Amino acid sequence: FGAIAANFTHVGRTGDGLVAKMISQHIVGCLHTVLAEAVRLAELSGMDATMIPAAVAGGHAHGGLLRQLDPRLAARDFQPRAYARQLVKDMHMVEALAGGVGLPTPMLRQSCAMYEALLERGGAEMDVSAVVTMYET
């Protein structure tokens, strides 16, 4: 397992690993859109968006994805590290899982809609951080 992942956690029955992966994609997909929205809010308010990680350091909003993604969002660095089209595919899998267990996922649905709009604009091969462009006119 060391050849394919830095961390291995036995999560339960056969198939539960896929559920864990989908949960991760759910969190990542929604968090990317929240971070993109926050960056645009900072920018439109006149704040230097690159200061967000330092401003929230030590608080609950401070996290690894914020520190990694904020500079790329602020710089509009959409060099693919993870393709938007792949995240949309994963988010649809999460929606199917949630539907199968009867759980409404309005946050996921809204994030997915933002990414679907990005794909419609030709952003399928862009990095997932390109979702920030959906907040620009």
Side-chain angles (χ1 to χ4, degrees):
F1 288 107
I4 59 171
N7 183 28
F8 175 76
T9 303
H10 186 271
V11 294
R13 306 163 299 170
T14 300
D16 285 349
L18 180 57
V19 173
K21 173 62 176 166
M22 285 191 278
I23 301 259
S24 175
Q25 292 304 91
H26 183 191
I27 293 167
V28 167
C30 291
L31 192 51
H32 272 83
T33 54
V34 168
L35 292 174
E37 194 170 290
V39 163
R40 281 304 288 153
L41 181 58
E43 291 169 347
L44 293 171
S45 298
M47 179 186 164
D48 177 357
T50 63
M51 297 305 299
I52 294 171
V56 302
H60 292 297
H62 194 234
L65 189 56
L66 171 68
R67 289 188 305 276
Q68 178 186 59
L69 190 60
D70 182 80
R72 291 180 23 227
L73 287 168
R76 301 304 190 266
D77 174 8
F78 307 136
Q79 198 61 23
R81 291 167 184 86
Y83 293 104
R85 66 177 161 72
Q86 291 173 318
L87 183 58
V88 170
K89 171 197 58 86
D90 291 348
M91 292 170 91
H92 284 298
M93 289 175 60
V94 176
E95 285 180 318
L97 175 66
V101 298
L103 178 70
T105 53
M107 304 299 283
L108 177 67
R109 181 66 247 148
Q110 186 59 44
S111 292
C112 194
M114 297 296 287
Y115 276 103
E116 288 166 345
L118 176 64
L119 269 56
E120 288 173 16
R121 283 189 179 178
E125 299 301 310
M126 297 176 89
D127 186 70
V128 294
S129 62
V131 73
V132 74
T133 64
M134 301 311 301
Y135 293 95
E136 300 171 347
T137 55

